[in-house]
Amino acid sequence: MSLLKSSGVRHRRPQFHPLTVAAVERLTDRAVAVSFDIPDELRETFRFEPGQHLTLRATIGGTDVRRSYSICMSRAQAAGTGRLRIASQEVDGGAMSVWLNRVVRPGDRIEVLAPLGDFVCPTVDTEREIVAIAAGSGITPVISLVRTVLEEEPGTQVTLIFGNRTPDSTMFRAELESLAEHCAARFDLIEVFSRDSSGARDPLLTGRIDGAKVRQILRRTGVAVPEVDEWFLCGPIGLVHDVRTTIVGEGAEPASVHHEEFFQEPVPAPAD
Ligand SMILES: Cc1cc2nc3c(=O)[nH]c(=O)nc-3n(C[C@H](O)[C@H](O)[C@H](O)COP(=O)(O)OP(=O)(O)OC[C@H]3O[C@@H](n4cnc5c(N)ncnc54)[C@H](O)[C@@H]3O)c2cc1C
């Protein structure tokens, strides 16, 4: 189906495909991963660049709801399993995130749009230095990018700074730690927790990630900002903008800084 705009340019209406849920995996108390079987005839349609997202559509409480969820697996994992995996962190009062976390089961059919988005990192034959900075559910496109780069670029170095409230609320923690162990020479995983009741943790790795903390962590780990080839930032808008401003101020090439924002953090009400 298509629409003919007055410019004469034909725009295809996005086409949703009903996909079967193959698995629902609990990641944390508030997050699940949902995998879809991709039938052979849709393999080409659902071919993706790591970092892209799927748009899901469902009728929830009588309302047509459409939301984006990033693919959170590498290209090789997708090819090997014939599935695509997304993950959703439950948002209080949220329509689709609550439905995905509490209602959806294997065997259900969900309408899904082909992958979209330009928060991507086409792999290359050269050796690169890549830094990714993610917070909370912002890890979803980043785990796809990081894993694909490590699998497809044998000489590339990757640093991931990943912020969460606590170890237990961290999505893909075991998977990332196992990847860091497996690729120890090329993948530096730096976890930052905003809530640490023990007081025993390194203060630099405690608290919310912001530009100043990122600057200090990069100095300590010996990453020379102007020499980084590509940056990938994903998380709340405030964090992404603060980190971007900081690293560009430290000499990062603006065109090398890619970012994806999931959500505008609520602006606190002004004090009376
Ligand atoms: C390109 C893109 C990729 C995304 N990828 C992912 C992903 O991989 N995993 C994932 O969990 N989410 C992802 N999101 C966010 C996701 O699309 C939804 O916005 C989120 O799940 C909330 O939808 P909802 O229907 O549950 O909440 P809604 O019903 O839309 O919102 C309910 C309330 O929660 C607030 N709210 C909405 N979103 C958030 C949020 N993210 N954090 C805090 N409060 C919020 C709203 O202001 C509203 O008050 C992505 C968003 C974009 C744009």
Side-chain angles (χ1 to χ4, degrees):
M1 224 180 281
S2 61
L3 280 178
L4 190 61
K5 288 274 175 84
S6 55
S7 63
V9 178
R10 273 182 180 275
H11 292 273
R12 280 193 182 284
R13 245 189 224 156
Q15 192 192 345
F16 284 90
H17 302 273
L19 296 183
T20 303
V21 173
V24 179
E25 180 196 345
R26 184 138 293 282
L27 300 174
T28 71
D29 283 356
R30 294 181 63 85
V32 286
V34 177
S35 301
F36 297 101
D37 275 326
I38 308 298
D40 288 345
E41 65 275 16
L42 289 178
R43 288 278 155 85
E44 199 49 42
T45 306
F46 280 90
R47 187 184 294 278
F48 69 103
E49 277 297 321
Q52 287 191 312
H53 59 268
L54 299 179
T55 307
L56 275 54
R57 175 188 189 185
T59 304
I60 304 170
T63 306
D64 178 42
V65 180
R66 300 169 189 208
R67 300 283 185 270
S68 306
Y69 294 95
S70 304
I71 296 167
C72 53
M73 70 200 311
S74 71
R75 210 174 352 231
Q77 287 177 312
T81 58
R83 292 178 175 180
L84 283 185
R85 180 177 72 163
I86 54 114
S88 168
Q89 178 151 287
E90 194 170 322
V91 167
D92 289 334
M96 191 169 280
S97 62
V98 170
W99 180 73
L100 288 170
N101 270 269
R102 302 188 193 180
V103 178
V104 167
R105 296 283 174 266
D108 289 351
R109 306 262 281 171
I110 300 179
E111 299 272 324
V112 183
L113 211 59
L116 291 170
D118 53 11
F119 182 64
V120 295
C121 180
T123 46
V124 295
D125 289 336
T126 51
E127 297 182 357
R128 303 190 281 182
E129 174 152 16
I130 291 179
V131 176
I133 299 159
S137 57
I139 192 61
T140 49
V142 169
I143 196 172
S144 177
L145 291 163
V146 165
R147 194 180 260 283
T148 303
V149 163
L150 289 169
E151 286 169 356
E152 297 184 11
E153 295 184 20
T156 290
Q157 297 283 333
V158 180
T159 301
L160 168 60
I161 304 175
F162 184 21
N164 285 282
R165 285 204 182 108
T166 63
D168 284 348
S169 71
T170 302
M171 294 164 75
F172 305 114
R173 185 156 193 242
E175 207 170 312
L176 285 165
E177 289 187 345
S178 147
L179 192 61
E181 214 177 294
H182 186 67
C183 302
R186 298 195 295 125
F187 179 37
D188 194 6
L189 170 65
I190 299 159
E191 294 181 283
V192 180
F193 298 117
S194 59
R195 290 192 194 156
D196 174 51
S197 48
S198 73
R201 206 173 151 78
D202 182 343
L204 185 55
L205 305 182
T206 311
R208 279 171 76 93
I209 293 186
D210 58 13
K213 192 173 278 298
V214 165
R215 183 195 297 120
Q216 284 178 288
I217 291 174
L218 293 175
R219 282 199 185 140
R220 187 195 279 182
T221 49
V223 171
V225 171
E227 285 166 28
V228 174
D229 297 291
E230 307 290 344
W231 298 84
F232 293 91
L233 318 180
C234 189
I237 291 176
L239 166 110
V240 165
H241 286 205
D242 187 35
V243 172
R244 186 188 161 86
T245 304
T246 302
I247 57 180
V248 169
E250 295 276 306
E253 173 59 43
S256 71
V257 185
H258 314 277
H259 59 93
E260 182 97 294
E261 295 132 4
F262 282 5
F263 180 63
Q264 170 76 58
E265 284 165 304
V267 179
D272 289 332

